[in-house]
Amino acid sequence: MPSSAAYLVPALAVGVPVGIYALFLGLVSIPYIQRFAVYAHKVNTLWWPPHNPNRPERWGFAKNQVTPFPLQTLDHHTLYAWHILPLGIYTRNEEALSAQDRSVTNGFVPDITTTLNFKLLRHDPEARLVLYFHGNAGHITQSIRPRSFHALTSVSSKIHVLAIDYRGFGLSTGSPTEEGLILDARAAVDWATKVARVPAERIVLLGHSLGTAVAAAAGEHYCCSTHRFGCSASDNGSGTENGSDEDHVSSTMGRREPLEFAGILLVAGFSSLPTMLSSYAIAGWLPVLRPLSFWPWLLGKVMSRIVDKWPSADRLTRLTKSAKTDGKKLNLTLIHARNDWDIPYCEDDKLFKGAVKGLVEAELGIGTVYGDGRDYEYEGGERVREEEEQEVERCVENLLSKEKGKRTVERWMGDGTSRKERDRAAVTTWEDEGVCIRQELWPYGGHNNLMFYAPVPMAVMRAFGLVEQTESTRY
């Protein structure tokens, strides 16, 4: 007879990992813990004095090239922000800029409008401004962020950068939520357009990783003429009680003249948080929800517990649809690396499809206006909605299968002799009246490096019209 140990060892070998995984799923179903894991905002190096962001010179910036300052949100949070001067403008004004004394406030500037840096942005009719929305974890100076700031501000003497730490990140107050981060993006756009008075046509919204969801939401908010300010999270997304300032701000209805930004640039984006997490693996090898794919009903239950949805593909649908319907210009660029170990590049295809879907909906004259189902609050409305959605899906699939290849330029990187998929770079340009959707898939660059390699700075230059889009500048 086999001993009990013969059964115990295999049972433990299977039971312990399953139990740990079940405990993990239970913990992350709690909104506070889930947001702590998703945003990773407490994973930073602020405890280490050399990483004090009020000393930008430690990351290779010239003295007073960077101005750390506070931004106020509509719900009364304070965000930590950097305004970074382009290197060319700094060089021409180096003596006056470096002479500014910031020792009293240890480098932090409570009122940026008193600085020469601010005046060089506000009073220059040629100034361009990149609103930089970073990914999760860390703070404004961690990881590749300083290098990407250098790349953007050295490529042209006209390009300024405004970067923010979202609420709960770095030295910013509060805790991150979907609605909260959208309010943070609005604070950045409002500061740029109302305080610095930079016209929207001289502003690019640049998002990386998590920041792509923030930039897409900001683009939807400002570029759609009719929009319900809010998002679809199971607990209203704000983490606040009903009647609070944030809940009031986020549920406001309004109609305004849509803005036309120089461009919206999404790097290493994802279609929605639940969809991305269903196939996500930490560091590219430790799956999060992928094991549940064998039990679709269980996967659906777990995905329904994700409180911050970040439906970027749906937001791009409404964005492109509104632009085409209103006859507005929209320049949308999607960039992804095929060897991205964090967010797979197939997510970029979903974003591209969502953007094209908006053009189809506008052409067919169907779909929701507000995106929250209120247009279907009549008898049989849900059935009509499903039929319209199916019709649009068929049209989009047929259109992409017939047209996307015709609108794509390919090039194999390396020595040029390899024809393997992993070496293929592709640029797809989809233009429809004033709407231009551009997708760039690069074979290399991983999750982070495209931010300071040529693709992103060149895409920013292209959006601002500082380089001519010719065959030689497509790569």
Side-chain angles (χ1 to χ4, degrees):
M1 293 287 293
S3 66
S4 59
Y7 297 103
L8 181 60
V9 173
L12 289 176
V14 175
V16 170
V18 170
I20 294 174
Y21 186 63
L23 177 62
F24 164 77
L25 292 179
L27 288 174
V28 296
S29 67
I30 302 171
Y32 175 81
I33 296 177
Q34 183 183 125
R35 286 178 170 133
F36 188 89
V38 168
Y39 297 110
H41 51 293
K42 296 301 182 183
V43 181
N44 61 54
T45 56
L46 286 177
W47 56 271
W48 192 22
H51 276 224
N52 177 8
N54 288 330
R55 293 285 182 264
E57 295 81 7
R58 290 171 176 165
W59 287 272
F61 295 99
K63 183 181 179 182
N64 293 342
Q65 182 186 0
V66 178
T67 305
F69 73 102
L71 270 180
Q72 301 300 320
T73 68
L74 289 172
D75 58 339
H76 314 300
H77 283 290
T78 301
L79 307 181
Y80 183 85
W82 270 15
H83 166 232
I84 310 161
L85 281 173
L87 193 57
I89 288 182
Y90 179 87
T91 301
R92 292 196 292 271
N93 299 273
E94 181 175 7
E95 184 176 353
L97 287 165
S98 61
Q100 296 177 115
D101 184 11
R102 299 178 180 176
S103 59
V104 176
T105 56
N106 296 317
F108 186 74
V109 179
D111 184 4
I112 190 176
T113 62
T114 63
T115 65
L116 175 59
N117 305 59
F118 177 80
K119 294 179 176 65
L120 290 173
L121 169 64
R122 179 170 176 173
H123 300 302
D124 182 2
E126 291 298 313
R128 270 71 164 178
L129 181 62
V130 173
L131 300 187
Y132 187 109
F133 302 109
H134 65 63
N136 72 338
H139 56 88
I140 205 166
T141 64
Q142 273 189 242
S143 185
I144 51 88
R145 289 156 199 167
R147 281 183 287 175
S148 60
F149 301 155
H150 279 295
L152 292 169
T153 53
S154 62
V155 73
S156 169
S157 62
K158 298 180 180 180
I159 298 177
H160 300 241
V161 172
L162 174 68
I164 64 170
D165 265 336
Y166 315 117
R167 61 189 64 203
F169 285 72
L171 299 177
S172 298
T173 64
S175 299
T177 65
E178 181 173 2
E179 295 245 3
L181 266 63
I182 294 173
L183 289 177
D184 298 344
R186 289 173 59 183
V189 175
D190 288 345
W191 181 89
T193 56
K194 297 177 182 179
V195 179
R197 296 184 183 177
V198 179
E201 56 268 22
R202 289 198 269 123
I203 295 174
V204 162
L205 306 184
L206 169 59
H208 173 236
S209 193
L210 171 66
T212 63
V214 179
E220 179 196 24
H221 179 94
Y222 286 98
C223 299
C224 295
S225 56
T226 305
H227 178 55
R228 177 179 182 271
F229 309 150
C231 29
S232 55
S234 59
D235 66 344
N236 88 10
S238 65
T240 58
E241 297 294 331
N242 289 336
S244 69
D245 290 332
E246 184 175 321
D247 187 57
H248 171 73
V249 169
S250 63
S251 62
T252 303
M253 291 294 297
R255 185 176 183 90
R256 79 184 85 75
E257 182 66 22
L259 300 182
E260 294 184 359
F261 293 106
I264 300 175
L265 177 56
L266 311 182
V267 186
F270 55 93
S271 57
S272 76
L273 191 57
T275 301
M276 191 268 287
L277 288 179
S278 66
S279 60
Y280 179 72
I282 299 174
W285 64 272
L286 184 61
V288 177
L289 299 182
R290 195 181 301 166
L292 300 182
S293 60
F294 296 103
W295 301 278
W297 64 270
L298 181 57
L299 177 61
K301 288 287 185 182
V302 173
M303 290 174 63
S304 69
R305 298 290 297 174
I306 297 175
V307 291
D308 293 340
K309 309 297 186 184
W310 290 113
S312 294
D314 292 340
R315 285 179 167 136
L316 294 188
T317 297
R318 292 192 286 273
L319 179 60
T320 56
K321 176 185 176 182
S322 178
K324 182 173 180 178
T325 301
D326 296 338
K328 299 295 184 179
K329 292 182 180 179
L330 175 64
N331 182 5
L332 174 65
T333 302
L334 313 172
I335 299 180
H336 219 115
R338 294 181 184 275
N339 67 339
D340 188 334
W341 53 263
D342 198 9
I343 299 177
Y345 73 89
C346 62
E347 287 293 309
D348 207 72
D349 289 330
K350 296 172 186 176
L351 290 174
F352 185 85
K353 179 181 176 181
V356 173
K357 181 181 176 182
L359 300 177
V360 173
E361 286 191 356
E363 187 69 28
L364 297 178
I366 60 176
T368 61
V369 174
Y370 297 102
D372 60 2
R374 288 178 294 130
D375 300 313
Y376 296 92
E377 293 177 354
Y378 55 84
E379 186 176 356
E382 187 63 31
R383 177 183 57 79
V384 173
R385 181 180 185 179
E386 291 178 0
E387 291 176 353
E388 288 185 349
E389 183 68 22
Q390 292 172 1
E391 175 65 19
V392 170
E393 283 293 323
R394 284 194 296 268
C395 290
V396 172
E397 291 290 348
N398 291 336
L399 188 61
L400 288 175
S401 64
K402 294 178 180 178
E403 294 293 329
K404 189 174 183 182
K406 300 176 183 178
R407 306 179 189 217
T408 300
V409 178
E410 298 180 342
R411 179 174 297 177
W412 276 261
M413 310 301 284
D415 58 10
T417 60
S418 171
R419 293 284 172 170
K420 297 179 180 178
E421 179 67 16
R422 67 172 183 266
D423 297 321
R424 183 172 67 92
V427 174
T428 304
T429 304
W430 197 291
E431 295 181 305
D432 191 333
E433 297 177 359
V435 179
C436 178
I437 308 167
R438 180 184 172 97
Q439 182 187 34
E440 299 182 15
L441 294 178
W442 293 86
Y444 317 119
H447 187 66
N448 293 322
N449 293 345
L450 291 179
M451 290 299 294
F452 54 87
Y453 286 169
V456 169
M458 286 300 296
V460 170
M461 293 276 285
R462 188 182 301 110
F464 283 133
L466 300 177
V467 292
E468 183 180 355
Q469 183 175 338
T470 63
E471 186 69 26
S472 61
T473 61
R474 292 190 178 187
Y475 292 92

